Amino acid sequence: MIIDTKRVVEPDPPLQPDDLLVITGAGGFIGGNLVRYFRKKGFRRIRAVDKKPLPQWYIREPGVENLCLDLSIEENCRRAVEGAVEVYNLAADMGGMGFIERYRVECLRSILINTHLIESAWRAGVRRYFFSSSACAYNIQLQQDPNARALKESDAYPAWPERGYGWEKLMSEIFCQEYWAERGLKTFIARFHNVYGPYGTWDGGREKAPAAICRKVIEAIDRGDLRITIWGDGRQTRSFMYIDDCVYGIDRIMHCDELIATPINLGSSELVSINDLVSLVEKIAGVTLKREYDLNAPRGVAGRNSDNTFIKKVLGWEPSTPLEQGLRVTYHWIKEQYEARKQGRHVVE
Ligand code: NAD
Ligand code: GDD
């Protein structure tokens, strides 16, 4: 913790099924899955907000109030949080390395979303506010080697995050910490490590490695040309968190008073190289591809893993879906989408 955020924590009344939860970025991957998670858990009043037109939302849950609003505009944020008890901010202009290396300004501009949303939440008397930060907030100097040690929460400082996107996340974290320290809004900050699963972006330029590799394998099989182009030399390492672990973790973090204004890793600690990732997808698909490496493609850091010591200590839990298990579900979901698109159909559910 680089700033003093100590305050007396007053207990909240228990959360009721009729309390209004607001989830932003709900037309996207994690937000959409989070809406579904809370509906399944029995919450009756959920407001889902995204700037995308409704037909483009990845998930639309029945019985949810869906609003199409651009949250970089303050007035829209005020409308979005009216009557809310809890706000989950999953809205950001983001993507995998292909997007965040190319569109740094777009990524930085997401600061407007959090800036206006947290102010609106505080003014509206919201009880708890969640911010989706990223492992990209960590000092990149600690991630220069594929065997780099796993990142613990204190590794964000001294600050040297990923250009553009990482700076936006770090600055928004500071907003969350100061809104608690100065104004008493209970804020929660999770640093997600690469999340994958059904309903994630799988093409178009924003997709991350797991979905991209699944799609490339499916395309190769479909073309009958068993070759794949991998960005970088394939020796980069990452850990990948399955979406079910992510939404469960968000819920746990948001309702843990020990974590108020305290950034915490939410990621898997199963480290693999990108070559390993390709091998796993090949195994699932039942093929072996000829690998070609594009050394000019976006690569990001050389190695990144999540040190889960803190989350295990505070929550007695860590994301633990084995990569092969999560990838299998994801691969088949992407294959279904791919085939549906080829036949001119659009699959949502
Ligand atoms: P996503 O792109 O699928 O969803 C983000 C959603 O935010 C999109 O639907 C987009 O339309 C919406 N959005 C963008 N600008 C908006 C605006 N001005 N107003 C309203 N909505 C807007 O991304 P995701 O994977 O679901 O990520 C959710 C959050 O988690 C983001 O904050 C992201 O930075 C963070 N995160 C994700 C990952 C990951 O691996 N998926 C990793 C680290 C952090
Ligand atoms: N996207 C993508 N597509 N990446 C590929 C591909 C491909 O076809 N082939 C190899 N890679 C390599 C990239 O070069 C990179 O080294 C690695 O796979 C991981 O790429 P991504 O999944 O795109 O991103 P990331 O892990 O560097 O960063 C992601 O995770 C962060 C959280 O940990 C991004 O989504 C960030 O936005 C996110 O905050």
Side-chain angles (χ1 to χ4, degrees), residues 94-98 100 134-136 162 165 192-195 207-210 212-213 215-216 229-232 236 238 240 274 297-301 304:
M94 66 84 68
M97 278 324 297
I100 64 176
S134 165
C136 290
E162 192 108 26
Y165 180 71
F192 299 163
H193 290 248
N194 207 320
V195 191
E207 63 279 10
K208 289 169 278 288
I213 300 300
R215 190 203 69 234
K216 286 178 176 182
T229 303
I230 297 166
W231 294 357
Q236 319 92 294
R238 296 290 188 276
F240 300 103
I274 298 303
R299 268 193 272 189
V301 294
R304 176 183 289 152

